[in-house]
Amino acid sequence: MRHASWERQANMRTCVYPGSFDPFTIGHHDVLERAIAMFDRVYVSVLSNAAKHPTFSVEERVDMIQRMVDAEEMKNVVVTHFDGLMVNYAHAIGADYVIRGLRATMDFEYEFQINALNLHLAPDVDTVYFMARPEHSFLSSSAVREIGSMGGNIKGLVPNSIHNIIAERLRKP
Ligand code: ADP
């Protein structure tokens, strides 16, 4: 008799990398590349949460990430957006795993709490964490927004393939 987990292995390993991505940074990019290496299919999914008052609209963020995926010919990446409960979305797209990144000190408490709640809601969806590279540990979307909106140079902080779009957009008042 075949073990249930063998059945699972025969299937595609699908994960969802949810986030605000307002905008997508090289820290996000690094986590995405590491997820691509581990999974057969990665959904990069922009959370449309109006309460967060994002700078970039959902459409802009999805479009930017898709441009990057196309420019870098990233394989097996699907760019989407969603609202509502993340675990419901994971079920809807058939993702067994969630990807999150952990930066030094700032993310752990929050992720620990969210993980407990997500496991309560959906024990079948597990979360995989990638430690931010030391050189990305300082980097956040809000820092990029702040520097860019004041005319500072954001080269090297966001993926090259979408640098111009992000820089131009942030310069707009
Ligand atoms: P959210 O609002 O869901 O936290 P973010 O866009 O801020 O959305 O982050 C999405 C995910 O990427 C989170 O797991 C976050 O910890 C991770 N992340 C953000 N910045 C970095 C970085 N510089 N290095 C690694 N992971 C990061």
Side-chain angles (χ1 to χ4, degrees), residues 30-149:
D30 180 66
V31 169
L32 173 59
E33 280 195 314
R34 290 155 76 184
I36 292 170
M38 278 182 68
F39 289 89
D40 299 311
R41 191 192 286 139
V42 181
Y43 280 78
V44 182
S45 302
V46 175
L47 171 61
S48 39
N49 179 355
K52 278 206 162 189
H53 302 297
T55 296
F56 294 84
S57 70
V58 174
E59 292 71 25
E60 283 176 314
R61 285 176 278 161
V62 168
D63 182 60
M64 264 189 306
I65 300 167
Q66 186 65 59
R67 272 170 196 252
M68 177 196 74
V69 167
D70 292 345
E72 299 190 22
E73 297 180 10
M74 288 176 157
K75 298 277 178 282
N76 307 320
V77 176
V78 184
V79 187
T80 60
H81 63 89
F82 73 104
D83 52 24
L85 281 178
M86 197 275 302
V87 288
N88 288 350
Y89 185 64
H91 281 153
I93 60 175
D96 296 320
Y97 296 92
V98 177
I99 299 297
R100 297 289 288 174
L102 288 178
R103 285 162 294 181
T105 68
M106 64 175 120
D107 293 320
F108 185 77
E109 293 291 334
Y110 174 75
E111 294 294 341
F112 200 74
Q113 182 188 14
I114 295 292
N115 180 60
L117 294 170
N118 282 343
L119 280 176
H120 172 78
L121 294 169
D124 57 326
V125 178
D126 209 349
T127 304
V128 176
Y129 299 91
F130 289 99
M131 294 276 189
R133 293 195 185 283
E135 64 269 31
H136 298 157
S137 244
F138 68 95
L139 182 57
S140 62
S141 295
S142 59
V144 169
R145 289 198 303 272
E146 204 166 330
I147 296 169
S149 63

